[in-house]
């Protein structure tokens, strides 16, 4: 190893830097003079006043790529944690990197960035759900949606007196636009929510008795319609 | 007479309330600031002088060819700015009468277009036409009107003072329109109810409001929102009023060959003087879909604007309800929204009670008289067809009348199937 | 207004009320025939005045020549028995009125398929009786809702073969059966009703995709053998004969093969049902026009919509007729077809052959203000 490299290694620490929020430390640092890099690379200084890290390959004045920025942040973070082993640091889960299972974020094993493993909070309240929990909940939700799908397609279940079912005008829930509620619904003459319009449609085009707010069929229909528009941005009031 | 002074007094009060700078006045509940701004565009703000001049012109019989007919003849301020007749009396009465019922001036400023067929886009354009119609006010040309007005001393003084030059036809219309822009009315019991006063309207009217939005199927065309509290969607619909005496197809064929595009004067004459009047909006747009279609009127103060519909053929609000209850009169162009309603007599009474609650305070006394007269006729119901309304005959609407939102279905049970993923896939 | 004096319309409607009342007590015999001479909305062929104004778009200055003839269509009526649902019955009666009041009358009327909703005898018989009231001669086309209960047995008994052709004023017309499906019901042990209900659901994905099938294609091939390529060809098909949206069976599986058979003709127009919407397309030398339904409108599919289609506005569920209608087709001197969509409660829309041929550059129909479905 060249002396230069040794010096670089000495200078290089690994800790989070930049926009990282410190959980415990409240020391105010007025100015942290960061040592210049031997190879002219940009040096990033952490706000603890002592830790620094270089971004290899990026000169002063140049902009690092997001990947490089994340990398130097990780290194500064790791270095800081090494220096402060007893600090209570809240792990933040990178949602972008996490895998999605049934529409919810997988919190536990898998999805966390490589690096020194932080402690994961245990417990038995809601926040500590497991993968098994998520699978169960997703399946139950889907069953509810499937029941909505059944009612949606069945004029008798809807209570239609003229054998008209929702899917006649809305195959696969098309043209329901649930993401546009609340909006002024011309047919109702007032600002309405999706559930109001479902009930109006049950009464008018299908000529069935209106469902009360608590009716599980109404909620299941709503669930099915919303499920068909997963991923559509919300745009209330849009016509 | 007291009844004549009251509206004048009201106007004076309104005039006093309008600041000289032309900033919008304080509007009562039930009158929308959004619509007011649309109706009173820059340059048309009513000033006290313009209002006074406009009111004078509005009531001046000398604007007509025979000095007998003023705007106020058919739009009488004391009678809610209507004349309480099915068809009005113009200069040619009683031999010939205009074929359209007089709409009220109250709140007319908020309409998107004027006249039953929307042939005038603004109040100014509307004011110009009846004066020149041969059987309404009978003047032959704008020049005749202007010449006559200029010879009248009060106007010879007033116009130069207000408009900077001698009277022109546009200015005459502008002055009348300025007066009309003060004739808005709100603060009805219904408005107070919406503002939170539970006792402002009685239980019948509340039930009527519920029906209005529900099984009555009214709110689609007589649209109400707090931003647009007019009870009108400003669109044109064929509800079958004239269908009992008109062969639309034949009439449309003849009219199609005759109506020149863009000639409002011709449309005005056809609409007022001839049986082509029944074609409604079709005379203006010549679109097949508009045959027999007329603008949805607003419902404020409807208690005082009897008789109803574009030809004044329905005498009371009960007749109106009967017409809708049976689904209108079938005709090839009947709006698809018209369906039999299946309302009972009690429900009809509730709806009439609701409509009465839309009366503004300044017409409350008048409404008492007009509704008393209507109630006298309540047992005479030429339009009623209960069998059709209940679905026992005819086919305007589905087998059964609309379900009642007050009678929902019993709580359902979701059939939970096993652990499989459901049918299908 | 004098009571007791009835206008023509009122008298007709009284007659029709009687017919309606008769429907409810309907037996398979004893029908009342629909009264003739009912007033309906004329599609105004004869209404062109000497001025530049036109009642509707039909007679436009851009026509290549005086149109030799028109035919009208009624399609996708989806009838239930009258006592169960009279809304759809009212709609087909309105269409029959419209067609009977065209002036001048069309040369013939096409029925575009899906007369019944669940292929029941009662439904087919009801439709049969109502269509007897159509004055011009009527050609029938079968849809999947008519077929898959009894595999076409009652349809054939009432209306004859499902594939046929005829010539009319120099144009060769072919009606093909394009809603065949590969057997999906035997392995699932479905009853006829279950099979029918599966086919009746647009979005269940269980049924097979529509196809003309090898036998149908062979029949078509043979029928067209004797026809000269310069003869204008009009094809009646229930499924679109192209690939629009597979999940809803807005699709013909062997469309490519069928289009290849039609490809040797210079002018081909396909008129299809099933899609219940204003739909236009052009592939190669073939124009495709979708027919409106009288019963209800389908929304546009989330993908696959042909670029040439100018959408109709979304329908208002308050108005049972909105988005529905009937129409007519004007066959020009060149043997090309302009499709007039008589949208109820809206202004008519014409989709011209010149619009399709120019790739949308000329004669575009009116646009909708609303955003896409």
């Amino acid at each position: 190893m060249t002396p230069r490299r040794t010096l670089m290694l000495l200078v290089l620490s690994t800790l989070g830097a930049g926009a990282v929020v410190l959980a415990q430390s409240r020391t105010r640092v007025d100015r942290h003079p960061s040592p210049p890099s031997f190879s002219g690379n940009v040096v990033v200084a952490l706000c603890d006043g002592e830790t620094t890290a270089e971004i290899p390959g990026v000169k002063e004045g140049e902009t690092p790529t997001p990947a490089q920025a994340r990398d130097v942040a990780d290194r500064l973070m790791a270095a800081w944690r090494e220096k402060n082993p007893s600090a209570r640091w809240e792990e933040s889960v990178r949602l972008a990197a996490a895998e999605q299972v049934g529409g919810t974020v997988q919190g536990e094993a898998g999805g966390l960035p490589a690096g020194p493993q932080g402690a994961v909070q245990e417990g038995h309240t809601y926040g500590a759900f497991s993968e098994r929990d998520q699978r169960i909940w997703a399946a139950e939700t889907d069953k509810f949606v499937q029941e909505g799908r059944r009612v949606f397609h069945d004029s008798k279940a809807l209570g239609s007196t003229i054998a008209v079912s929702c899917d006649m005008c809305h195959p696969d829930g098309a043209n329901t636009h649930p993401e546009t509620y609340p909006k002024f619904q011309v047919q109702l003459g007032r600002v309405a929510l999706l559930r109001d319009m479902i009930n109006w449609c049950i009464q008018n085009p299908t000529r069935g008795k209106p469902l009360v707010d608590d009716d599980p069929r109404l909620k299941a229909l709503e669930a099915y319609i919303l499920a068909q528009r997963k991923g559509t941005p919300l745009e209330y009031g849009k016509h | 007479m007291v009844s004549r002074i009251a509206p004048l007094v009201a106007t004076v009060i309104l005039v006093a309330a309008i600041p000289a700078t032309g900033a919008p006045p304080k509007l009562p509940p039930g009158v929308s600031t959004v619509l007011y701004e649309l109706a009173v565009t820059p340059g048309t703000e009513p000033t006290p002088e313009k209002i006074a001049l406009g009111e004078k012109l509005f009531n001046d019989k000398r604007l007509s060819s025979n000095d007998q007919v003023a705007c106020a003849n058919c739009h009488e301020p004391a009678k809610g700015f209507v004349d309480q007749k099915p068809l009005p009396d113009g200069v040619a009465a009683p031999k010939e009468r205009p074929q359209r019922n007089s709409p009220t001036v109250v709140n007319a400023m908020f309409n998107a277009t004027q006249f039953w067929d929307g042939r005038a886009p603004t109040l100014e354009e509307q004011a110009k036409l009846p004066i020149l119609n041969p059987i309404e006010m009978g003047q032959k040309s704008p020049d005749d009107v202007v010449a006559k007005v200029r010879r009248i001393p009060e106007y010879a003084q007033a116009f130069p003072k207000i408009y900077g030059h001698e009277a022109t036809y546009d200015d005459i219309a502008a002055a009348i329109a300025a007066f009309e822009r003060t004739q808005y009315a709100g603060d009805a019991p219904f408005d107070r109810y919406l503002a939170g006063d539970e006792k402002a309207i009685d239980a019948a009217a509340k039930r009527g409001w519920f029906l209005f939005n529900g099984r009555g199927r009214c709110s689609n065309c007589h649209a109400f929102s707090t931003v647009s509290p007019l009870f009108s969607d400003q669109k044109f619909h064929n509800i079958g009023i004239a269908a009992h005496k008109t062969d639309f197809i034949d009439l449309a064929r003849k009219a199609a060959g005759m109506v020149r595009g863009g000639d409002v004067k011709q449309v005005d004459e056809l609409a007022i003087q001839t049986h082509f009047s029944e074609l409604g909006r079709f005379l203006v747009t010549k679109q097949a879909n508009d045959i027999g279609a007329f603008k949805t009127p607003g419902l404020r103060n409807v208690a005082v604007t009897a008789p109803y519909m574009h030809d004044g053929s329905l005498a009371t609000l009960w007749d109106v309800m009967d017409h809708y209850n049976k689904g209108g009169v079938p005709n090839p162009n009947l709006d698809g929204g018209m369906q039999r309603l299946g309302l009972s007599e009690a429900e009809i009474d509730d709806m009439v009670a609701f409509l009465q609650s839309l009366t503004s305070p300044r017409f409350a006394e008048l409404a008492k008289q007009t509704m008393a007269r209507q109630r006298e006729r309540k047992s005479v119901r030429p339009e009623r067809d209960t069998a059709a309304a209940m679905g026992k005959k005819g086919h305007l609407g589905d087998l059964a009348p609309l379900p009642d939102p007050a009678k929902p279905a019993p709580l359902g049970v979701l059939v939970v199937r096993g652990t499989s993923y459901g049918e299908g896939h | 207004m004098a009571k007791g004096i009835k206008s023509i319309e009122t008298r007709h409607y009284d007659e029709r009320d009687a017919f309606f009342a008769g429907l409810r007590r309907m037996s398979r015999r004893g029908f009342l025939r629909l009264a003739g001479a009912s007033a309906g909305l004329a599609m105004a062929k004869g209404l062109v005045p000497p001025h530049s104004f036109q009642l509707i778009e039909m007679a436009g200055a851009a026509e290549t020549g005086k149109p030799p003839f028109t035919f009208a269509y009624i399609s996708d009526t989806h009838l239930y028995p009258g006592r169960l649902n009279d809304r759809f019955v009212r709609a087909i009666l309105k269409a029959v009125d419209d067609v009977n009041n065209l002036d001048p009358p069309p040369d013939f009327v096409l029925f575009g398929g899906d007369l019944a909703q669940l292929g029941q005898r009662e439904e087919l018989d009801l439709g049969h009786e109502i269509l007897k009231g159509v004055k011009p001669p009527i050609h029938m086309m079968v849809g999947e809702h008519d077929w898959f209960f009894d595999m076409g047995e009652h349809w054939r008994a009432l209306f004859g073969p499902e594939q046929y052709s005829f010539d009319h004023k120099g144009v060769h017309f072919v009606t093909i059966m394009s809603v065949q499906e590969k057997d999906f019901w035997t392995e699932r042990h479905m009853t006829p009703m279950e099979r029918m209900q599966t086919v009746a659901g647009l979005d269940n994905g269980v049924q097979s995709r529509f196809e003309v099938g090898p036998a149908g294609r062979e029949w078509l091939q043979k029928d067209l053998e004797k026809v000269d390529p310069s003869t204008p060809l009009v094809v009646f098909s229930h499924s679109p004969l192209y690939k629009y949206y597979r999940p809803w069976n807005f699709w013909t599986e062997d469309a490519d093969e069928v289009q290849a058979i039609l490809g040797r003709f210079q002018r081909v127009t396909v008129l299809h049902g099933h899609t219940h919407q204003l739909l236009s397309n052009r592939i190669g030398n073939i124009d495709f026009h979708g027919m409106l339904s009288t019963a209800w409108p389908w929304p546009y599919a989330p993908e696959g919509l042909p670029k040439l289609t100018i959408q109709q506005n979304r329908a208002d569920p308050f108005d049972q007729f909105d988005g529905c209608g009937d129409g007519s087709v004007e066959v020009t001197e060149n043997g090309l077809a302009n499709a007039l969509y008589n949208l109820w409660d809206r202004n008519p829309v014409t989709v011209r052959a010149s619009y399709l041929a120019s790739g949308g550059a000329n004669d575009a129909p009116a646009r909708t203000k609303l955003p896409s479905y």
Side-chain angles (χ1 to χ4, degrees):
Chain A
M1 252 217 262
T2 64
R4 199 161 135 195
R5 230 180 242 218
T6 319
L7 209 52
M8 273 168 66
L9 276 172
L10 279 171
V11 170
L12 283 174
S13 313
T14 52
L15 239 193
V20 163
V21 176
L22 291 176
Q24 284 290 7
S25 166
R26 295 268 189 270
T27 50
R28 266 214 60 188
V29 181
D30 295 304
R31 182 152 172 73
H32 177 181
S34 45
S37 154
F38 275 81
S39 35
N41 291 325
V42 151
V43 175
V44 184
L46 185 62
C47 42
D48 65 350
E50 50 188 58
T51 319
T52 56
E54 261 193 22
I55 308 182
V58 178
K59 304 282 173 260
E60 198 70 42
E62 284 176 47
T63 317
T65 66
Q68 288 170 323
R70 265 203 293 276
D71 175 62
V72 74
D74 288 345
R75 284 187 276 123
L76 285 168
M77 181 73 192
W80 182 86
R81 293 195 75 146
E82 254 184 337
K83 291 184 192 172
N84 302 277
S86 57
R88 281 173 46 221
W89 180 251
E90 280 166 344
E91 214 64 72
S92 76
V93 176
R94 295 240 187 90
L95 293 177
E99 292 210 291
Q100 309 250 333
V101 167
T104 53
V105 175
Q106 198 176 33
E108 287 184 29
L112 283 180
Q117 289 295 324
V120 176
Q121 294 185 1
E122 301 286 2
H124 296 285
T125 56
Y126 163 72
F129 54 78
S130 64
E131 206 187 300
R132 172 199 155 104
D133 286 329
Q134 278 183 276
R135 285 230 175 88
I136 292 173
W137 298 338
E140 185 69 18
T141 309
D142 272 334
K143 260 217 278 178
F144 194 67
V145 166
Q146 288 306 311
E147 280 311 303
R149 181 174 165 274
R150 186 189 65 84
V151 178
F152 194 86
H153 288 77
D154 184 351
S155 64
K156 278 214 190 66
L158 280 176
S160 168
T161 54
I162 52 174
V164 169
S165 53
C166 311
D167 66 308
M168 280 180 175
C169 290
H170 299 286
D172 287 332
N175 200 25
T176 51
H177 306 288
E179 71 278 0
T180 60
Y181 289 94
K183 68 180 172 195
F184 185 84
Q185 188 73 50
V186 171
Q187 288 79 15
L188 276 72
R190 60 175 198 271
V191 176
L193 300 167
L194 174 62
R195 198 172 294 192
D196 302 323
M197 194 56 189
I198 294 174
N199 235 344
W200 185 92
C201 273
I202 289 177
Q203 290 173 71
N204 283 273
T206 78
R207 290 272 162 151
K209 286 193 171 167
L211 304 179
V212 295
D213 255 349
D214 279 336
D215 199 312
R217 290 174 289 175
L218 184 59
K219 298 185 187 180
L221 285 170
E222 202 176 308
Y224 171 71
I225 290 169
L226 287 167
Q228 302 314 300
R229 295 295 269 184
K230 173 175 163 177
T232 317
L234 292 178
E235 280 191 83
Y236 87 95
K238 176 169 189 260
H239 276 271
Chain B
M1 293 264 82
V2 176
S3 54
R4 271 235 297 270
I5 294 175
L8 280 174
V9 167
T11 313
V12 167
I13 292 173
L14 278 165
V15 167
I18 296 168
T21 55
K26 185 156 188 322
L27 299 171
V31 178
S32 154
T33 44
V34 172
L35 289 184
Y36 189 87
E37 270 158 41
L38 283 176
V40 183
T41 51
T44 64
E45 297 91 342
T47 63
E49 305 85 38
K50 285 184 186 167
I51 296 167
L53 174 61
E55 188 179 2
K56 204 164 153 51
L57 288 163
F58 190 87
N59 287 293
D60 198 333
K61 294 192 201 285
R62 294 172 293 186
L63 280 184
S64 59
S65 59
N66 64 356
D67 288 349
Q68 293 300 315
V69 181
C71 307
N73 279 47
C74 306
H75 301 282
E76 241 179 285
K79 293 189 178 156
F81 286 88
V82 294
D83 52 12
Q84 298 178 344
K85 299 190 181 123
L87 297 178
D89 285 336
V91 297
K95 251 194 348 181
E96 261 189 279
R97 284 205 162 79
Q99 293 295 298
R100 301 255 176 97
N101 178 264
S102 311
T104 180
V105 174
V106 180
N107 290 326
M109 59 192 274
F110 300 124
N111 287 335
T113 55
Q114 303 298 330
F115 290 114
W116 279 102
D117 53 13
R119 62 184 180 277
T122 61
L123 289 173
E124 286 82 352
E125 291 306 310
Q126 185 281 325
K128 290 181 184 172
L129 285 175
I131 300 176
L132 299 176
N133 185 286
I135 65 172
E136 286 180 307
M137 291 165 77
Q139 293 279 21
K140 294 266 181 318
S141 74
D143 292 333
D144 283 355
V145 183
V146 166
K148 197 169 179 189
V149 165
R150 283 186 188 179
R151 280 200 301 272
I152 297 170
E154 310 98 270
Y155 296 134
Q157 283 180 359
F159 273 94
K161 221 190 310 170
I162 297 173
Y163 290 99
H165 46 244
E166 285 195 66
T168 64
Y169 200 51
D170 284 343
D171 293 335
I172 293 172
I176 294 175
F179 165 65
E180 289 172 341
R181 285 200 176 86
T182 61
Q183 300 308 314
Y184 50 82
D187 201 25
F190 174 70
D191 298 313
R192 283 178 254 127
Y193 170 66
L194 283 190
D197 181 359
E198 284 283 325
K199 295 207 183 56
I201 62 179
D202 63 9
K206 286 179 190 156
R207 288 193 298 268
W209 172 230
F210 187 68
L211 282 167
F212 188 87
N213 288 309
R215 291 172 50 231
R217 290 171 65 89
C218 316
S219 60
N220 253 266
C221 299
H222 288 285
F224 172 85
S225 65
T226 50
V227 171
S228 174
L230 296 178
F231 291 96
S232 162
D233 62 353
Q234 300 299 306
K235 295 199 171 75
F236 302 85
H237 304 277
N238 175 324
I239 62 169
I241 283 295
H244 41 60
K245 57 183 194 305
T246 305
D247 180 354
F248 281 125
I249 299 311
D250 192 53
L251 209 58
R253 281 210 183 103
K254 294 201 188 102
M258 181 196 310
V259 179
R260 291 184 289 277
D263 186 342
V264 180
K265 187 85 176 56
Q266 188 202 29
V267 173
D268 183 75
E269 283 169 18
L270 287 176
I272 295 296
Q273 296 174 248
T274 70
H275 59 291
F276 291 111
S277 176
E278 298 307 315
L279 292 173
R281 183 75 173 157
F282 175 75
L283 291 176
V284 178
T285 62
K286 297 181 286 278
Q287 297 276 28
N289 190 35
D290 284 332
I291 292 178
F294 294 88
K295 190 172 68 188
T296 314
L299 295 179
R300 288 187 174 274
N301 299 303
V302 73
V304 306
T305 59
Y308 304 104
M309 301 299 166
H310 73 276
D311 55 1
S313 59
L314 298 185
T316 71
L317 288 174
W318 282 272
D319 293 332
V320 171
M321 289 309 309
D322 285 335
H323 175 84
Y324 285 110
N325 201 14
K326 68 188 182 198
V329 178
N331 70 84
N333 254 90
L334 188 66
D335 192 292
M338 292 293 288
Q339 294 183 12
R340 62 167 166 253
L341 304 177
L343 298 173
S344 65
E345 273 307 307
E347 287 171 327
I348 288 177
D349 286 340
D350 288 341
M351 296 215 61
V352 175
F354 163 69
L355 292 172
Q356 281 184 258
S357 77
L358 302 178
T359 311
S360 302
R362 81 190 239 207
F363 299 116
E365 272 306 307
L366 179 62
K368 281 211 194 89
Q369 296 166 21
T370 52
M371 287 312 296
R373 276 207 298 272
Q374 286 193 26
R375 240 173 254 113
E376 277 165 29
R377 301 181 48 143
K378 209 179 134 189
S379 52
V380 177
R381 303 277 279 276
E383 300 296 322
R384 179 161 54 183
D385 189 345
T386 312
M390 293 303 156
K392 303 245 172 27
K393 77 168 212 221
H395 51 281
L396 277 171
D398 295 311
L399 279 171
L402 264 180
D404 189 345
K407 300 199 182 85
L411 207 63
V413 177
L414 276 190
V415 177
V416 179
R417 290 151 201 275
T419 51
S420 64
Y421 202 62
E423 79 248 296
H425 323 287
Chain C
M1 180 226 29
K3 269 285 182 187
I5 296 175
K6 289 188 182 173
S7 70
I8 296 174
E9 273 125 303
T10 315
R11 269 186 278 121
H12 154 69
Y13 280 100
D14 283 349
E15 283 167 349
R16 189 203 279 163
D17 286 350
F19 171 68
F20 234 92
L23 279 182
R24 293 209 194 100
R25 299 187 298 270
M26 183 178 88
S27 64
R28 290 184 47 201
R29 300 158 296 193
F31 279 109
L32 296 165
R33 274 189 58 236
L34 181 69
S38 44
L41 178 62
M43 272 182 273
K45 248 325 253 315
L47 270 174
V48 180
H51 316 284
S52 58
F53 137 76
Q54 291 144 22
L55 177 56
I56 50 174
E57 296 173 52
M58 263 197 95
E63 288 304 309
T64 47
K66 206 163 179 306
F69 66 98
T70 61
F71 64 91
Y73 71 77
I74 300 171
S75 186
D76 291 273
T77 53
H78 291 273
L79 292 171
Y80 280 114
R83 68 180 181 290
L84 175 58
N85 177 322
D86 67 344
R87 181 192 290 181
F88 297 165
V89 180
R90 180 181 174 201
I92 183 179
L93 289 174
K94 188 172 162 77
V96 171
D97 274 353
D98 285 350
V99 152
N100 283 339
N101 276 278
L102 288 176
D103 183 35
D107 284 17
F108 61 85
V109 175
L110 164 72
F111 181 78
D114 285 351
L115 182 62
Q117 165 67 358
L118 292 177
Q120 303 298 294
R121 293 212 147 186
E122 202 182 344
E123 298 165 354
L124 288 168
D125 287 341
L126 171 60
H128 180 52
E129 277 307 309
I130 293 175
L131 289 178
K132 279 191 189 158
V134 173
K135 288 197 269 198
I138 187 163
H139 295 281
M140 300 295 295
M141 173 157 69
V142 72
E144 74 280 13
H145 285 254
D146 306 310
W147 188 264
F148 281 96
F149 179 69
D150 57 6
M151 302 311 282
E153 190 189 314
H154 198 57
W155 176 275
R156 275 189 290 253
L158 285 176
F159 302 117
E162 64 273 19
Q163 309 189 120
Y164 57 90
S165 67
F166 61 94
D167 293 289
H168 183 80
K169 294 189 178 167
V171 176
H172 188 72
F173 287 88
V174 185
T175 305
I176 59 176
M177 198 315 190
S178 60
V179 290
Q180 298 286 7
E181 290 192 20
K182 292 203 172 25
D183 188 332
F184 63 87
W185 51 89
T186 311
E187 63 188 3
R188 293 181 172 84
H189 308 289
M190 286 184 168
T191 65
M193 193 46 155
E194 286 171 341
R195 171 179 64 208
M196 182 67 250
Q197 281 171 336
T198 306
V199 173
L202 195 75
D203 57 355
N204 58 37
V206 175
Q207 57 179 305
S208 317
R209 302 302 96 188
F210 290 145
E211 58 178 17
V212 176
R217 295 199 302 271
E218 206 188 302
W219 177 90
L220 180 63
Q221 186 89 287
K222 263 192 32 205
D223 181 271
L224 294 179
E225 254 166 21
K226 318 167 214 108
V227 183
D228 186 81
S230 64
T231 309
L233 193 59
V234 175
V235 179
F236 296 147
S237 159
H238 190 71
S239 70
L241 285 189
Y242 61 93
K243 294 174 174 174
Y244 165 15
Y245 188 60
R246 198 165 199 277
W248 292 350
N249 242 343
F250 286 3
W251 188 272
T252 312
E253 193 73 15
D254 52 0
D256 299 325
E257 288 105 312
V258 178
Q259 287 171 23
I261 298 173
L262 301 172
R264 72 180 180 87
F265 291 86
Q266 291 162 15
R267 283 155 298 184
V268 188
T269 304
V270 170
L271 198 63
H272 69 87
H274 185 63
T275 47
H276 298 210
Q277 62 199 206
L278 201 167
L279 197 57
S280 324
N281 199 3
R282 182 171 171 85
I283 300 175
N285 60 323
I286 310 175
D287 286 347
F288 297 84
H289 295 283
M291 292 186 274
L292 297 172
S293 160
T294 60
W296 72 81
W298 287 127
Y300 288 102
E303 53 187 21
L305 187 68
K307 271 202 231 38
L308 283 168
T309 299
I310 295 192
Q311 294 184 18
Q312 64 188 55
N313 271 345
R314 289 181 216 151
D316 180 357
F318 179 75
D319 176 348
Q320 76 160 83
F321 293 141
D322 195 25
C324 304
D326 44 48
S328 61
V329 176
E330 184 188 15
V331 182
T332 65
E333 218 169 45
N334 310 341
L336 298 167
N338 300 330
L340 179 105
Y341 289 86
N342 182 32
L343 286 154
W344 288 333
D345 280 1
R346 299 187 190 183
N347 294 314
V349 174
T350 308
V351 180
R352 296 209 159 82
S354 52
Y355 165 73
L356 296 177
S358 66
N362 307 328
D363 295 333
R367 299 203 157 267
T368 170
K369 286 191 189 142
L370 282 172
S372 156
Y373 274 73

